[in-house]
Amino acid sequence: MATVATLLNVVGGRGVEGERTFTKVSPVDGSLVAQVHEASGETVDAAVRAARDALSGPWGRLRTVDRAALLRRVARTVEERAEEFVAAEVADTGKPLELARRLDVARAVANFDHAADFVYGTERQESYSTETGDGRRALNYAYRKPMGVVAVIVPWNLPLLLLTWKVAPALAAGNTVVVKPSELTPSSATLLAEAMAEAGVPDGVVNVVHGFGPGSTGEYLTSHPGIDAITFTGESATGSAIMTAAAPNLTPVSFELGGKNAALVFTDTDLGRAVRGTARSVFTNAGQVCLCTERVYVQRPIFDEFVAGLTDEALALVPGRPDDPRTGIGPLISREHRAKVRSYCELAIKEGATVHAGAEPILFGNELDQGAFFPPTIWTGLGRDAVTVTDEVFGPVCHVAPFDTEEEAVALANGSEYGLAATVWTGDVDRAHRVAPALDVGLAWVNSWWLRDLRSPFGGNGRSGLGREGGRAAADFYSHPTNVCIEIGPR
Ligand code: NAD
Ligand code: 6OD
């Protein structure tokens, strides 16, 4: 029998029990993964104080060059303990081992390496030689300082990737953090705190509090007056709740939220590449990536061929155990989430969809039937206002619709309250440069999907987010400038 972990909160380097515990079960077969200690209001308060104290301790006195070296050591420690991270991530999410290795853990390492490279960027200074109309002269310079204690709240879909995407730049800028992982994926955050301590990160710099959102740890943290900034990734509705909780303290927020991302496929594309790329963008991580495509628009002459190709790709993805090398798609995160995805499938059919693949839960005839598997699903035939074409489903599903002109394609893609990501498949370079900037999204890919340069700005428009992170945008969010103006005598 697999071991059941006991996960404590991590406050000032110490494991702290909660008054209550909750269970984490595997989405593969429903088995018990962990008993998790929920952080009370007092524990959250202690975590914020520990993070505040750490700012004036050895961490706050580290030279920039040493902070970079420390972040690099964290990257190496995660790399050395990669298989432990893979195991933690797979236990919580049920995703294929290979995916956890190649994507989640590899990106955690890259996030820390990138943060080490970028430490100096967080301290960049701007300066101006000033001469006013009445002849006074001054030197203005602005330098950036850490915000202080940053609350980091992350979802369950890419727990370690998204956590490190935020923790690494927050630390690079000199902050300390209190982290709240999703109640559905508590394991890798706890392991990360341990690995960071092993790498030499001082106690109190990274604190982990477990629990839920409203009326629990998440709400205690986001309404805490000792928090200097909140970075959050999750649902748009949760973003609104956090903004409300943050408002009395005027705490700055950075939000990466939901999406209903479009792919536009033009007749001038390499069809095979577009089909394979779209399949990847729809079904990766069982469709549970904020960047996943859920709306596909295909130019009419290639519509039928595209749908047939995408259906073949969907049917070739074998659901199964994380450690089975044949597994092409893992389970959804929970049976509750599967019920939501399934209800959208039922609704799509009521709304008049034709189903080309999937739509019904899979039956294995073994213990996997206690899991949360759902097959790759493709619909056609819905109107642009159908609920399943406008709502984010966050599962391995997409709707494919035809279009005739480029203008129509852009209008369809932009006809969403969300504005996170889009993909354009075309062989025409002029079209690529016309269409991609016309899309009302934070991230537009051409002939690719989720190809990342960690220096580039990441985030969404409308209901998809507030602000950007990554590179310079992260430096701006995780630090604030003090401008110094020194008057210089007359010439
Ligand atoms: P969620 O919003 O339900 O939960 C995210 C985190 O917020 C969890 O840790 C949860 O416990 C916490 N939380 C919930 N309510 C809270 C509250 N009132 N106050 C404080 N914390 C609260 O999201 P989820 O279901 O875990 O993740 C799926 C969603 O995340 C999807 O909508 C997806 O699109 C989005 N997402 C967006 C991005 C992006 O970069 N834009 C990335 C990943 C996921
Ligand atoms: O690639 C990234 O940096 C990133 N933040 C991805 C988010 C994926 C959402 O599920």
Side-chain angles (χ1 to χ4, degrees):
M1 212 176 85
T3 41
V4 176
T6 298
L7 301 179
L8 301 178
N9 303 289
V10 182
V11 176
R14 287 186 313 110
V16 175
E17 292 186 353
E19 284 161 20
R20 293 188 303 205
T21 62
F22 59 95
T23 53
K24 161 66 197 166
V25 299
S26 165
V28 174
D29 56 11
S31 59
L32 190 59
V33 170
Q35 202 67 36
V36 191
H37 285 255
E38 182 180 351
S40 61
E42 289 73 38
T43 303
V44 169
D45 198 39
V48 175
R49 268 187 282 114
R52 172 81 44 212
D53 291 347
L55 283 168
S56 50
W59 172 253
R61 294 192 292 273
L62 267 189
R63 293 176 309 161
T64 306
V65 62
D66 297 327
R67 206 157 73 232
L70 187 49
L71 289 166
R72 197 83 65 197
R73 269 207 307 282
V74 174
R76 299 293 73 75
T77 308
V78 175
E79 211 163 43
E80 279 154 23
R81 299 182 66 172
E83 284 309 302
E84 288 174 69
F85 280 100
V86 168
E89 211 68 331
V90 169
D92 280 356
T93 64
K95 66 179 74 187
L97 278 170
E98 238 350 89
L99 184 65
R101 273 189 196 114
R102 186 167 41 79
L103 175 65
D104 304 71
V105 178
R107 255 302 290 280
V109 172
N111 285 339
F112 281 108
D113 274 329
H114 170 64
D117 290 341
F118 132 117
V119 155
Y120 295 97
T122 68
E123 295 186 346
R124 75 176 192 283
Q125 297 189 357
E126 28 185 326
S127 63
Y128 304 96
S129 292
T130 308
E131 192 143 14
T132 63
D134 59 0
R136 295 172 75 190
R137 298 195 313 141
L139 173 65
N140 272 279
Y141 66 91
Y143 62 88
R144 304 198 71 90
K145 295 182 289 193
M147 297 297 287
V149 179
V150 178
V152 178
I153 302 178
V154 285
W156 45 258
N157 61 322
L158 302 164
L160 183 67
L161 185 159
L162 291 171
L163 180 60
T164 53
W165 165 244
K166 291 174 179 300
V167 166
L171 298 194
N175 299 284
T176 57
V177 296
V178 181
V179 161
K180 196 203 91 57
S182 166
E183 57 275 27
L184 293 172
T185 50
S187 302
S188 55
T190 317
L191 184 59
L192 183 67
E194 185 188 309
M196 291 183 80
E198 183 188 323
V201 174
D203 289 347
V205 173
V206 177
N207 305 275
V208 181
V209 287
H210 291 294
F212 302 83
S216 176
T217 321
E219 189 179 325
Y220 306 147
L221 187 58
T222 50
S223 57
H224 198 291
I227 292 295
D228 299 303
I230 300 170
T231 174
F232 167 72
T233 296
E235 280 192 23
S236 306
T238 310
S240 301
I242 290 178
M243 214 168 187
T244 305
N249 299 315
L250 298 173
T251 313
V253 295
S254 168
F255 287 165
E256 297 178 351
L257 307 175
K260 188 72 182 178
N261 310 306
L264 304 182
V265 186
F266 291 91
T267 47
D268 53 33
T269 189
D270 170 341
L271 190 61
R273 184 178 177 196
V275 165
R276 288 188 300 278
T278 304
R280 204 179 133 246
S281 78
V282 176
F283 303 125
T284 292
N285 208 41
Q288 302 167 121
V289 179
C290 60
L291 308 166
C292 275
T293 303
E294 290 195 9
R295 298 180 293 143
V296 186
Y297 299 106
V298 184
Q299 210 157 13
R300 202 172 299 273
I302 57 168
F303 180 77
D304 289 341
E305 202 182 340
F306 182 92
V307 173
L310 192 65
T311 303
D312 287 346
E313 292 285 330
L315 296 176
L317 286 172
V318 182
R321 293 178 192 287
D323 58 354
D324 185 337
R326 291 166 302 179
T327 298
I329 185 166
L332 297 176
I333 190 65
S334 65
R335 288 171 77 86
E336 291 71 25
H337 188 52
R338 183 175 72 170
K340 176 183 154 188
V341 173
R342 188 182 188 180
S343 74
Y344 272 113
C345 289
E346 288 164 359
L347 179 61
I349 291 167
K350 277 196 202 122
E351 289 182 307
T354 300
V355 176
H356 295 261
E360 279 297 325
I362 305 152
L363 280 178
F364 295 89
N366 58 31
E367 65 279 17
L368 300 196
D369 287 338
Q370 303 309 310
F373 289 89
F374 201 84
T377 295
I378 299 170
W379 306 299
T380 57
L382 294 175
R384 58 195 298 176
D385 296 328
V387 176
T388 30
V389 177
T390 55
D391 278 18
E392 179 189 50
V393 180
F394 217 57
V397 304
C398 71
H399 179 252
V400 194
F403 70 85
D404 292 300
T405 65
E406 187 179 299
E407 295 68 29
E408 185 191 357
V410 170
L412 284 166
N414 286 344
S416 171
E417 293 182 322
Y418 293 102
L420 184 59
T423 308
V424 183
W425 297 96
T426 179
D428 178 341
V429 73
D430 291 338
R431 191 199 296 280
H433 285 290
R434 257 191 328 267
V435 171
L439 297 171
D440 184 11
V441 291
L443 305 149
W445 277 285
V446 176
N447 298 329
S448 62
W449 175 73
W450 204 5
L451 176 60
R452 294 279 285 116
D453 183 324
L454 302 184
R455 294 167 298 183
S456 55
F458 186 98
N461 303 340
R463 288 185 66 73
S464 289
L466 199 60
R468 296 289 185 271
E469 295 195 29
R472 198 168 168 159
D476 285 346
F477 178 71
Y478 292 112
S479 66
H480 47 193
T482 297
N483 189 72
V484 177
C485 177
I486 304 178
E487 182 151 12
I488 306 167
R491 282 181 201 280

